[in-house]
Amino acid sequence: MENGSASELRPMFCELGAITRADGSCIFSVGDTTVACAVYGPGEVKPNREIIDKASVEIVYRSRVGMPGVADKKSELFLEKTCEAGILAALHPRTAITVNLQEMQDSGGIVSSCVNSACLSLLDAGAPMKFLFASVTCAVLKDGTVVLDPSLKELKSSSSQLVFVFESRKIGRAHV
């Protein structure tokens, strides 16, 4: 196990407002995995993407090199559904909220890093949110060991991979 322990997370770093012309932005790193994210909107929407009763949420994911492939489009759809669930889109009908995610380096857990970066960028943009969300990747190795926040090498040699997304919950005060 490269992370030292099966339940140890790699060090995280986040810088909000890193992209100057965006409404909200973030550079997010977990270990050597780094994602840059910029949020634009709510703003003007293209007529073919306009939704009368809520904002249109668009995710654009770009890998570090090459043209987008099937895996990139699958990640993009997952990210779009996750962000749509967390954004209060009904407050801004007939507008668009665009989230641009750029992979800068992938050393494992790129989808979780994108989810975390998108949430932080939406928060930086002041986008209306139903809840905040966070994500972590796990891998089941061939020997049955479950590794939290696996490296790229561990992901490639795993028998399965899981991406968990958690939403924030309101915690009531305890009565003594």
Side-chain angles (χ1 to χ4, degrees):
M1 282 163 263
E2 295 180 14
N3 293 345
S5 150
S7 61
E8 185 178 310
L9 295 174
R10 294 174 287 172
M12 290 184 213
F13 169 79
C14 173
E15 180 184 352
L16 297 178
I19 301 170
T20 56
R21 294 187 182 226
D23 294 321
S25 65
C26 171
I27 293 182
F28 183 79
S29 297
V30 177
D32 289 333
T33 299
T34 305
V35 175
C37 181
V39 172
Y40 301 94
E44 192 173 334
V45 65
K46 295 175 188 170
N48 63 335
R49 299 229 2 129
E50 184 177 58
I51 303 171
I52 293 176
D53 60 342
K54 65 180 184 173
S56 168
V57 177
E58 181 180 9
I59 304 294
V60 179
Y61 171 75
R62 298 284 179 234
S63 59
R64 192 167 67 98
V65 293
M67 296 296 292
V70 174
D72 294 334
K73 291 298 178 186
K74 181 180 173 187
S75 297
E76 203 172 82
L77 182 63
F78 176 78
L79 292 161
E80 188 168 310
K81 295 299 179 191
T82 301
C83 290
E84 279 179 349
I87 296 172
L88 273 168
L91 292 180
H92 298 282
R94 295 183 164 182
T95 62
I97 298 173
T98 305
V99 180
N100 291 329
L101 292 147
Q102 174 66 53
E103 170 193 327
M104 298 175 82
Q105 185 167 338
D106 182 7
S107 65
I110 191 70
V111 174
S112 290
S113 294
C114 286
V115 168
N116 294 331
S117 181
C119 183
L120 290 167
S121 296
L122 288 163
L123 194 62
D124 187 46
M129 305 284 286
K130 296 176 200 168
F131 50 80
L132 301 179
F133 47 88
S135 180
V136 68
T137 301
C138 297
V140 179
L141 303 180
K142 296 199 187 313
D143 66 0
T145 307
V146 178
V147 178
L148 185 66
D149 190 25
S151 68
L152 195 56
K153 184 178 177 183
E154 290 169 326
L155 282 170
K156 286 183 179 178
S157 67
S158 67
S159 58
S160 66
Q161 305 168 18
L162 304 138
V163 176
F164 293 99
V165 179
F166 303 93
E167 67 180 54
S168 61
R169 299 275 182 187
K170 183 176 180 181
I171 300 172
R173 295 191 322 196
H175 297 281
V176 181

